[in-house]
Amino acid sequence: MDVNISDVFETRRGKKCVAINSYKFSEFRENKDTTKIFRCTNRKCTVTAKLTANLKTVISINGEHSHNELVEENITKQTVMSLLKRKVTTDLNMKPNKLIRQELRNCPKSDHLSHSDVRLFRKSMYEARRKIFPKIPKSLLEAKAMMFQNKKDFVSNNEPFCFMDSESSIPIFTNTTNMSLLNS
């Protein structure tokens, strides 16, 4: 049996994945002897693969796949997509286009990717980043409620910066140092 591990990568949720003979496997569990068990990512397929702890050697593959092989371009797209989604949620200051360019430069198989793939990467990156940021309020009442809930996050020079007694009160943006200067 000729076994070829073509790629090892992480999903956007942090689980390890391997591409073995044009099939994608995700980490299922770790045995007591430190070998790792991987399952086929197709939910209807029951094939498992046993790999060494360093993910370099396949010890055994149990079962037969009930589906066709994945095309190498699709595996490349999925690996690049998972890397980009993870990076865009951890590094919020870097523009998605810059992350895409860096990843395409580092990816050895990027010549298979088309312009529509890059557009898909960009769109999914913006959607992943949008989930992290708070929802934009649609009314003044929603804005006041959000400010009241997050007033401890408004800080200037390690002093509170937003003063509100309740959600219906008027927000005052100042710190205690400024208030003491006004009183004197």
Side-chain angles (χ1 to χ4, degrees), residues 156-174:
S156 172
N157 297 331
N158 295 327
E159 295 178 348
F161 189 70
C162 180
F163 295 94
M164 290 179 78
D165 292 331
S166 67
E167 288 184 16
S168 61
S169 65
I170 298 172
I172 299 172
F173 295 103
T174 186

Side-chain angles (χ1 to χ4, degrees), residues 78-122:
Q78 291 172 358
T79 57
V80 171
M81 178 78 79
S82 64
L83 278 168
L84 288 172
K85 278 188 175 180
R86 195 167 1 96
K87 284 182 182 180
V88 79
T89 55
T90 56
D91 190 4
L92 298 175
N93 296 325
M94 193 170 300
K95 293 181 180 178
N97 281 338
K98 187 172 184 179
L99 287 172
I100 291 171
R101 283 195 307 270
Q102 284 178 349
E103 194 55 45
L104 291 179
R105 244 185 269 127
N106 296 338
C107 181
K109 302 171 190 170
S110 64
D111 54 339
H112 298 294
L113 301 173
S114 65
H115 179 67
S116 61
D117 296 332
V118 174
R119 280 193 328 211
L120 178 67
F121 294 157
R122 190 179 308 116

Side-chain angles (χ1 to χ4, degrees), residues 65-78:
H65 290 280
S66 60
H67 56 93
N68 295 332
E69 303 183 340
L70 292 172
V71 182
E72 189 67 32
E73 291 89 33
N74 289 345
I75 294 175
T76 304
K77 272 192 259 186
Q78 291 172 358

